Amino acid sequence: MSRFLAERYASLVAYTPGEQPTDMKYIKLNTNESPFPPSKGVLDAINTDAVSALRLYPDPECGILKEKIAKQYGFAKENIFVSNGSDDILNFSFMAFCDGKKCGVAFPEISYGFYKVYADLYGVDAKMLPLAEDFSVSAEEYCNIGRTVVIANPNAPTGIALSVREVERIVASNPDHVVVIDEAYVDFGAESCIELVHQYDNLLVVRTYSKSFSMAGARLGFAIGGRELIADLDKIKYSTNPYNINRLTLLAGAAAMDDYDYYMENCRKIVANRAYTTEALTSLGFEVLPSKANFVFARSKKIGGEALYTKLKKRGILVRHFKTEKIKDFNRITIGTLGEMKSLVAAVEAILGEAAGEE
Ligand code: PMP
């Protein structure tokens, strides 16, 4: 830390992103990317006039992209906000809707780690509610809470989802506070609550192109909400970086919506591979939480979470381990192709065999 850093950031603990190693080629099951390539339409779209794509500023209104998203999900363009990854949208939401003086924010204690970082960044009082014993989010506890609410649904890193009815109870019981539902993983089998946006002006649903749309590298996210919430987010964007989505990403994002069916078919494959992985790990003695996401969260009594992570890495397979006390026995394993999941299961089996031999 330099002596110039603003004092308000001195104690800030930044988010730790998942590893993106360059030392060797891994089977990469640590940051919930899609194992499938972007569609041909997307590749054709970015294979464009490179000179214009680099020389000119992008459209700050992102009009074409917004229109495609709006049409796909049955909304008006004015209900859509787009930004540089859903992290950017979450960041703007904390800036816009968490007033440190008027109200704090509430989110699950075990959830996407960035929520706490944003709360700290903006000096917002954060109430972090424990998960239930089965690691699900206790929806009732967010009802009438009188704070901005942020919930990942399905939750990360557990993969467990709330139903639309449960989300609606939270939204309806907090009419004077924004409820942000982070649906980064919703396409892998959970119920989306976007239809509730037609009914509730305090609901903001955040989505990403990074998982189901195979575009983590392009950095693109969108949010669906009432026109006023969207205008608020645009105000923040135009007050920070209006050109925050580059021209290639705008083209790719619009083309991906044209190929929506291709991406949903990929999600069905992931769901099938998740079922295979869950069954295989369960038969090896793991407890696997019931996931509706493109990852599973699993622990074994036979080996610690960190030990398994380290041994898998040595065998060229990367998974995500969190040191947080309550979940340190688990690993979060992204669902890849069936071949990748078979390699993972074989490696886990071999590691457990070695561990048993050492006893
Ligand atoms: N929300 C959740 C729950 C996530 O796990 C992630 C990915 N790390 C994000 C949002 C951010 O995704 P992106 O910025 O790539 O859209």
Side-chain angles (χ1 to χ4, degrees):
M1 184 169 70
S2 81
R3 65 186 193 281
F4 305 107
L5 181 68
E7 209 179 302
R8 61 185 178 279
Y9 301 131
S11 61
L12 182 68
V13 180
Y15 177 70
T16 311
E19 296 167 87
Q20 306 295 341
T22 49
D23 60 331
M24 60 173 265
K25 201 162 165 28
Y26 289 92
I27 294 182
K28 210 173 159 300
L29 307 177
N30 69 327
T31 44
N32 302 337
E33 290 131 331
S34 172
F36 301 112
S39 63
K40 183 169 178 307
V42 165
L43 298 177
D44 288 346
I46 59 170
N47 196 6
T48 173
D49 173 2
V51 173
S52 302
L54 296 178
R55 191 176 64 80
L56 301 174
Y57 280 109
D59 168 19
E61 286 178 19
C62 311
I64 295 172
L65 174 62
K66 280 188 175 181
E67 253 158 37
K68 292 272 186 189
I69 296 171
K71 187 158 170 257
Q72 180 59 51
Y73 293 97
F75 286 87
K77 203 171 96 202
E78 291 72 23
N79 294 114
I80 310 296
F81 178 73
V82 289
S83 208
N84 190 288
S86 60
D87 280 339
D88 216 28
I89 303 178
L90 294 165
N91 178 30
F92 289 172
S93 302
F94 273 79
M95 262 196 233
F97 307 126
C98 296
D99 191 325
K101 290 186 201 90
K102 270 201 298 207
C103 76
V105 62
F107 49 82
E109 180 191 17
I110 305 291
S111 191
Y112 185 33
F114 233 138
Y115 304 155
K116 175 74 167 71
V117 178
Y118 293 133
D120 290 347
L121 183 62
Y122 299 115
V124 175
D125 179 57
K127 187 167 185 176
M128 296 188 285
L129 299 174
L131 298 180
E133 201 134 297
D134 63 358
F135 292 94
S136 63
V137 170
S138 309
E140 279 312 313
E141 292 187 29
Y142 295 84
C143 292
N144 301 299
I145 198 162
R147 288 170 174 255
T148 303
V149 173
V150 182
I151 294 178
N153 194 40
N155 195 18
T158 62
I160 299 174
L162 294 174
S163 67
V164 173
R165 289 299 139 238
E166 287 171 302
V167 171
E168 182 167 13
R169 280 211 302 278
I170 298 169
V171 177
S173 68
N174 290 292
D176 296 326
H177 293 91
V178 174
V179 176
V180 177
I181 301 295
D182 177 355
E183 291 193 348
Y185 300 103
V186 79
D187 286 330
F188 304 99
E191 295 177 26
S192 172
C193 67
I194 54 171
E195 291 307 318
L196 298 179
V197 165
H198 293 294
Q199 224 176 312
Y200 297 96
D201 69 355
N202 61 324
L203 171 63
L204 185 77
V205 184
V206 180
R207 294 281 192 100
T208 179
Y209 274 77
S210 298
K211 322 291 178 184
S212 48
F213 291 101
S214 303
M215 270 174 53
R219 309 307 301 127
L220 186 59
F222 59 99
I224 302 180
R227 288 166 193 245
E228 291 178 351
L229 288 188
I230 298 301
D232 292 342
L233 291 173
D234 265 320
K235 183 174 183 174
I236 302 281
K237 166 174 146 161
Y238 278 83
S239 306
T240 50
N241 182 2
Y243 300 117
N244 70 351
I245 305 178
N246 70 69
R247 290 179 77 95
L248 291 175
T249 296
L250 285 177
L251 291 169
M257 284 297 145
D258 289 336
D259 291 335
Y260 185 80
D261 292 348
Y262 162 80
Y263 292 103
M264 293 308 115
E265 181 53 32
N266 287 346
C267 290
R268 281 189 281 278
K269 290 181 192 157
I270 298 286
V271 169
N273 298 349
R274 183 178 70 207
Y276 160 79
T277 311
T278 303
E279 206 178 304
L281 290 177
T282 306
S283 66
L284 289 175
F286 278 78
E287 178 192 356
V288 184
L289 301 188
S291 172
K292 296 272 190 216
N294 67 340
F295 54 82
V296 288
F297 203 47
R299 66 178 164 188
S300 165
K301 288 206 166 68
K302 297 179 195 156
I303 187 163
E306 187 160 13
L308 180 59
Y309 157 81
T310 307
K311 286 176 189 281
L312 282 170
K313 189 170 178 186
K314 276 200 191 118
R315 288 170 180 262
I317 300 178
L318 263 191
V319 298
R320 185 96 196 248
H321 176 258
F322 299 93
K323 290 188 196 292
T324 312
E325 185 59 28
K326 286 189 181 170
I327 52 170
K328 69 177 184 356
D329 295 338
F330 285 87
N331 277 292
R332 193 193 67 191
I333 305 166
T334 303
I335 304 299
T337 62
L338 190 55
E340 288 174 326
M341 301 328 287
K342 286 188 171 168
S343 300
L344 168 91
V345 170
V348 170
E349 200 168 358
I351 290 166
L352 291 182
E354 279 168 17
E358 284 162 12
E359 272 170 12

